[in-house]
């Protein structure tokens, strides 16, 4: 799926039933306060947390203004289940990608917490 620059890929508060793999261009996760939370590029995932915990989206994601078009692969819950059975090695790679994303997010949060505590 392609998105035009500035187009919203995920809307904060919407139901999370899929994750998205960026294949081309860049996407920004934007918090409710308008701050850019993270930038994701080719090979990185967005929407992973709410897909795994079946909750609502915690942030909106938009295509970076400088990118003409972003290619995004949408992987919904049905596809996750099918891939798990039919292609377990691919599923393992996807889980590693999501785990890496979550680990980086956790490390960044710890750094922000330390900075906040030191102020």
């Amino acid at each position: 799926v392609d998105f035009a620059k500035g187009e919203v890929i995920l809307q904060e508060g919407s139901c999370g039933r899929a994750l998205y793999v960026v294949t081309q261009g860049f996407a920004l996760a934007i918090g409710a306060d308008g701050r850019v939370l993270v930038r994701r590029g080719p090979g990185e995932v967005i929407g992973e947390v709410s897909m795994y915990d079946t909750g609502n989206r915690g942030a909106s994601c938009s295509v970076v203004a400088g990118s003409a078009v972003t290619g995004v692969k949408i992987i919904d819950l049905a596809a996750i289940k099918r891939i798990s059975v039919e292609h377990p090695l691919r599923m393992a790679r996807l889980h590693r990608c999501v785990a890496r994303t979550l680990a980086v997010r956790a490390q960044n949060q710890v750094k922000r917490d330390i900075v906040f505590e030191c102020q």
Side-chain angles (χ1 to χ4, degrees):
V1 177
D2 291 334
F3 294 88
K5 63 182 176 182
E7 187 174 354
V8 175
I9 300 170
L10 306 173
Q11 185 64 47
E12 181 176 4
S14 64
C15 187
R17 297 287 183 252
L19 63 82
Y20 300 74
V21 180
V22 178
T23 58
Q24 177 184 349
F26 294 91
L28 296 177
I30 302 164
D33 60 1
R35 285 185 313 122
V36 173
L37 303 174
V38 71
R39 176 180 155 151
R40 295 281 183 243
E44 296 181 301
V45 295
I46 55 177
E48 70 285 349
V49 172
S50 59
M51 202 280 309
Y52 278 96
D53 75 5
T54 64
N56 292 337
R57 305 276 182 205
S60 294
C61 289
S62 299
V63 178
V64 173
S67 299
V69 188
T70 294
V72 176
K73 230 177 241 188
I74 301 172
I75 305 174
D76 64 12
L77 285 172
I80 293 284
K81 290 175 184 175
R82 189 179 69 253
I83 294 168
S84 294
V85 172
E86 296 173 6
H87 305 283
L89 293 177
R90 285 185 183 169
M91 196 70 239
R93 282 195 302 263
L94 177 62
H95 286 311
R96 279 194 303 275
C97 180
V98 170
R100 200 170 34 251
T101 298
L102 295 174
V104 168
R105 183 180 297 156
Q107 289 168 353
N108 290 339
Q109 183 62 48
V110 167
K111 289 176 189 174
R112 282 192 298 272
D113 290 347
I114 291 170
V115 168
F116 180 73
E117 289 175 5
C118 293
Q119 292 178 351

